[in-house]
Amino acid sequence: MPATDNQGSFLNRISIRRNQFTSMDNNHDQELEDLELFQKHVADRFADLLSIPSPNIPPIPTPNSNSNSNDSSSAAATDSPSAATETQILPPPPLMSISWFRNLLDAFLCCEAEFKAVLVSGRDPSQFSKPPLDRLIPDLLERAVKALDVCNAVTHGVDLVTHWQKLAQIAVTALNQNPIGEGQVRRARKALNTLLTSMVFDDKENANSNFHGKWTERTRSFGRRGAAAASALNSKDRTAGNFRSLSWSVAKSWSAAKQIQAMSSNLVAPRGGESTGLALPVYIMNMIIVFVMWALVAAIPCQERNGLATHFQIPRNLGWAQPIIGLQEKIGEDWKKKEKKGTAGLLEEVQRMEKVANSLVEFSDTFVFPLEEEKAADLAAQVAELAEICEKMEEGLGPLHQQVREVFHRMVRSRAEVLDVVDQVSKLSAPAPY
């Protein structure tokens, strides 16, 4: 009997060890599957932003000329309104437009949520205290703090673009009057000159501006009529101060370009065994954070963008990175061209607004009453285009502002959750006091 008991005990221990190894194998397989899915989802989301057709979208069916038996059914399916609705694929928004950035921030929020699930959910907290996570997690948290500063600056930049939209709307309202006279043209020219002055405003030369007016006071000044409003619009010093205080709430020494440079430094892709572990999703999320913040800074007015990097190193052999590299190259090329001209940013609506505003200012300089029929038609077309831009901005800038704030708060919450896990690990590893 004792021998039998010992034998049973030994077999039980073997069974327990076997179950432990099986459980570890299952957990490892699940972890690999989660990593593969995370990479695939990142690639798919950014491929959509690059306007690359997703392999998951079925092609639009076409009639088969070689099959006579299915001609009638194919024609019926093609002519059916429901079939047309199912196969219709809306064109993607223009790169760097407000709608595109809203899609970009949606993709970021989805990637961030999935990353947190891969990193934290069901994870043994003790892994956070082991290499390589013991050094990668603090680096990720520090990068998130820098991204919060960028979000704050971008939020104020969106406010500035909203102010530009209001100035452009003043010009649209004035030039839509019929008949149009000297007074309307003069009012439109003042608003457009103020708009263009702000767009080419060099924050380096005016870094020591001391004007700190409030947004409500600025908008109210454009609502007043008469000589006081005209004087405010024509004052160059006042204009520079207004837009400085509107856009920048960070320290005068803060630089968006340097912030992005600091965020993109020390980003090294995992190698060897780390390339199949948790180091990989941490690296991917770091790259996503840097890319999204870099794109926002390139498009939205931010303090000190001179010298903004046009690219950062991403290994080309990584499948998930190909769409991000493609977007980086496109945006970087545009930035190289526009930066030399002192542009207000790469936001598509802002670039169009700047072009139309310049054209309308040229028109106002040569305006003669009564307006010739050909010039009136050209003016109407330009005013209609500016009105369309204003409408898109009015519809999109508010939601974009909210999304940037949502990104800000999401990163704050996620950072706090990761810090909680790190604190738990520290408490568990601390020696018991005796």
Side-chain angles (χ1 to χ4, degrees):
M1 289 295 293
T4 304
D5 291 341
N6 290 337
Q7 184 179 8
S9 177
F10 175 75
L11 292 176
N12 287 337
R13 289 199 301 270
I14 292 293
S15 178
I16 292 172
R17 293 295 298 275
R18 184 184 298 113
N19 291 336
Q20 288 176 343
F21 282 117
T22 302
S23 177
M24 291 175 62
D25 289 341
N26 290 338
N27 290 339
H28 182 66
D29 291 342
Q30 184 61 47
E31 182 176 298
L32 291 177
E33 183 179 347
D34 291 343
L35 292 179
E36 289 178 3
L37 280 176
F38 179 56
Q39 294 177 73
K40 181 182 182 302
H41 293 162
V42 169
D44 289 345
R45 290 176 184 128
F46 282 90
D48 290 340
L49 293 167
L50 190 57
S51 302
I52 297 176
S54 173
N56 298 325
I57 299 177
I60 297 176
T62 56
N64 187 355
S65 59
N66 296 328
S67 176
N68 295 326
S69 60
N70 296 327
D71 281 349
S72 58
S73 60
S74 297
T78 305
D79 295 336
S80 169
S82 60
T85 303
E86 290 176 1
T87 57
Q88 182 181 11
I89 301 175
L90 296 176
L95 183 68
M96 303 297 277
S97 64
I98 295 174
S99 296
W100 186 86
F101 270 102
R102 292 186 61 188
N103 291 342
L104 174 67
L105 294 182
D106 280 340
F108 174 85
L109 290 171
C110 291
C111 291
E112 197 275 343
E114 188 172 357
F115 164 72
K116 190 167 61 176
V118 170
L119 183 69
V120 178
S121 298
R123 187 72 55 195
D124 181 5
S126 64
Q127 294 190 36
F128 282 47
S129 62
K130 301 175 183 177
L133 291 187
D134 60 338
R135 58 180 174 80
L136 294 179
I137 294 298
D139 183 58
L140 174 67
L141 298 178
E142 180 63 26
R143 190 166 281 105
V145 171
K146 291 182 171 64
L148 295 180
D149 290 337
V150 175
C151 285
N152 193 39
V154 168
T155 300
H156 292 282
V158 174
D159 287 340
L160 176 57
V161 176
T162 302
H163 192 53
W164 292 346
Q165 182 264 331
K166 294 181 182 296
L167 288 169
Q169 189 62 55
I170 292 174
V172 169
T173 303
L175 296 176
N176 266 333
Q177 301 299 316
N178 191 17
I180 185 172
E182 290 282 354
Q184 289 83 9
V185 173
R186 196 162 48 243
R187 177 170 174 80
R189 181 169 56 237
K190 289 173 182 176
L192 293 174
N193 278 331
T194 304
L195 167 64
L196 294 171
T197 299
S198 172
M199 284 185 170
V200 299
F201 182 66
D202 186 352
D203 56 312
K204 263 194 170 182
E205 295 178 2
N206 297 277
N208 296 320
S209 174
N210 294 319
F211 185 84
H212 296 287
K214 295 180 181 179
W215 162 253
T216 53
E217 294 174 352
R218 280 189 296 274
T219 52
R220 194 183 306 120
S221 70
F222 288 105
R224 295 195 300 266
R225 296 182 180 179
S231 175
L233 286 169
N234 276 330
S235 174
K236 184 175 180 181
D237 294 336
R238 176 73 177 274
T239 299
N242 282 355
F243 291 113
R244 161 65 56 192
S245 61
L246 174 64
S247 303
W248 324 132
S249 65
V250 294
K252 293 177 182 179
S253 60
W254 190 85
S255 166
K258 291 180 180 178
Q259 191 81 339
I260 297 298
Q261 182 181 3
M263 291 177 63
S264 59
S265 62
N266 300 324
L267 270 177
V268 181
R271 300 175 181 177
E274 292 184 1
S275 62
T276 58
L278 289 178
L280 180 59
V282 174
Y283 173 74
I284 294 175
M285 198 62 221
N286 274 323
M287 292 305 311
I288 292 174
I289 291 174
V290 172
F291 172 78
V292 171
M293 295 302 126
W294 173 77
L296 285 169
V297 168
I300 309 295
C302 286
Q303 180 171 313
E304 282 286 357
R305 291 183 298 177
N306 291 334
L308 180 67
T310 55
H311 72 283
F312 36 89
Q313 295 297 327
I314 308 179
R316 292 183 174 272
N317 62 325
L318 301 175
W320 59 266
Q322 295 306 313
I324 297 180
I325 293 172
L327 288 168
Q328 181 191 28
E329 290 175 347
K330 284 188 175 183
I331 298 171
E333 286 300 316
D334 287 344
W335 179 257
K336 286 179 183 178
K337 297 174 185 176
K338 302 296 181 181
E339 186 182 23
K340 297 177 182 178
K341 299 180 181 180
T343 185
L346 299 182
L347 194 66
E348 195 252 354
E349 288 82 1
V350 168
Q351 293 193 63
R352 289 179 58 200
M353 176 180 283
E354 185 178 15
K355 182 179 178 181
V356 178
N358 275 309
S359 180
L360 288 174
V361 167
E362 291 178 5
F363 157 80
S364 66
D365 290 338
T366 60
F367 172 77
V368 177
F369 183 84
L371 197 60
E372 298 176 4
E373 185 175 345
E374 183 179 350
K375 288 188 175 181
D378 182 52
L379 172 64
Q382 293 188 61
V383 172
E385 182 179 357
L386 188 58
E388 182 219 349
I389 297 169
C390 288
E391 184 178 357
K392 284 187 176 181
M393 285 185 167
E394 188 171 5
E395 292 175 354
L397 287 175
L400 178 63
H401 187 284
Q402 293 177 358
Q403 280 179 297
V404 175
R405 301 312 299 167
E406 183 179 355
V407 167
F408 179 96
H409 291 296
R410 174 74 70 80
M411 286 195 292
V412 169
R413 289 195 299 269
S414 297
R415 187 174 184 275
E417 291 174 15
V418 174
L419 281 174
D420 286 341
V421 177
V422 174
D423 289 342
Q424 292 177 17
V425 174
S426 300
K427 292 176 181 178
L428 291 174
S429 60
Y434 290 109

